C-alpha cells in the first residue's frame, strides 16, 4: 500500500533532480570537474529515488485496479449467489442453488468468489485460496 509519504518522497526526488539540473544548466563553464561529478551523482541518486517511488505507486495502483475489478464482479454476483449449508451457489433459472460450491469464508469476508474443490480424502471440500476445509456433505448439492 502506498501512502501519501511515498508519493511526497517521489515528488521531492523529482524536484531535487530538477533543481540540480537547473544549477548545472545555469552555471558558467568554470564549474570544477569535481563539483560537476558531485552534482551529477546527486542527480542520479535523486532520479533513482524518484523511479523507485513511482514503481511502488504503479504497483499499488495495479493492485487496486485488480481489487476494484473483483469487487465489481462480486457486486454483480451479489444477487445471484445464495448460501446453502456451508457454501454459496449460483441460482438456477428456477431460483434454486445449483452448480459448483463457492467458499463461504472468502465470500463473506472479502467478497471473493472462490470455487471449492474436493480434496483427495473424499471427506472435505477445500478452498484453494484460503485453504479452509469444509465437510463435503455440507458443501455439495444433492
Ligand atoms: Zn476461501
Amino acid at each position: 500500500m502506498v501512502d501519501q509519504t511515498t508519493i511526497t518522497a517521489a515528488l521531492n526526488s523529482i524536484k531535487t533532480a530538477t533543481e540540480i539540473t537547473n544549477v548545472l544548466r545555469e552555471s558558467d563553464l568554470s564549474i570544477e570537474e569535481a563539483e560537476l561529478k558531485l552534482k551529477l551523482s546527486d542527480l542520479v541518486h535523486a532520479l533513482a529515488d524518484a523511479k523507485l517511488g513511482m514503481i511502488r505507486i504503479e504497483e499499488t495502483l495495479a493492485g487496486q485496479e485488480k481489487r476494484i475489478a473483483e469487487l465489481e464482479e462480486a457486486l454483480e454476483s451479489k444477487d445471484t449467489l445464495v448460501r446453502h449449508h456451508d457454501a454459496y451457489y449460483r441460482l438456477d433459472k428456477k431460483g434454486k442453488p445449483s452448480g459448483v460450491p463457492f467458499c463461504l469464508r472468502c465470500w463473506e469476508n472479502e467478497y471473493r468468489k472462490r470455487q471449492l474443490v474436493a480434496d483427495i480424502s473424499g471427506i472435505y471440500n477445500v478452498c484453494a485460496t484460503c485453504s479452509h476445509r469444509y465437510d463435503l456433505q455440507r458443501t455439495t448439492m444433492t
Side-chain angles (χ1 to χ4, degrees), residues 40-107:
L40 287 175
S41 176
D42 290 346
L43 178 61
V44 168
H45 186 80
L47 287 171
D49 285 348
K51 183 179 177 184
L52 282 175
M54 297 307 288
I55 288 170
R56 274 194 222 120
I57 292 166
E58 182 181 49
E59 289 172 349
T60 297
L61 289 176
Q64 288 174 341
E65 285 178 17
K66 182 180 175 198
R67 185 65 181 136
I68 288 170
E70 287 176 347
L71 290 172
E72 285 176 342
E73 183 188 343
L75 185 62
E76 289 174 13
S77 300
K78 193 173 179 218
D79 294 334
T80 60
L81 284 185
V82 63
R83 183 175 175 172
H84 180 74
H85 296 301
D86 291 342
Y88 277 86
Y89 297 87
R90 289 189 178 102
L91 293 173
D92 64 14
K93 291 179 182 175
K94 295 177 183 172
K96 298 195 174 198
S98 68
V100 296
F102 293 102
C103 178
L104 184 84
R105 177 187 263 184
C106 284
W107 180 254

Side-chain angles (χ1 to χ4, degrees), residues 19-29:
E19 289 169 355
I20 293 169
T21 304
N22 284 335
V23 166
L24 292 174
R25 189 180 58 200
E26 293 168 4
S27 67
D28 59 25
L29 295 176

Side-chain angles (χ1 to χ4, degrees), residues 103 105-106 114 127 129-132 134:
C103 178
R105 177 187 263 184
C106 284
R114 300 293 188 249
C127 174
T129 299
C130 73
S131 302
H132 193 77
Y134 298 90

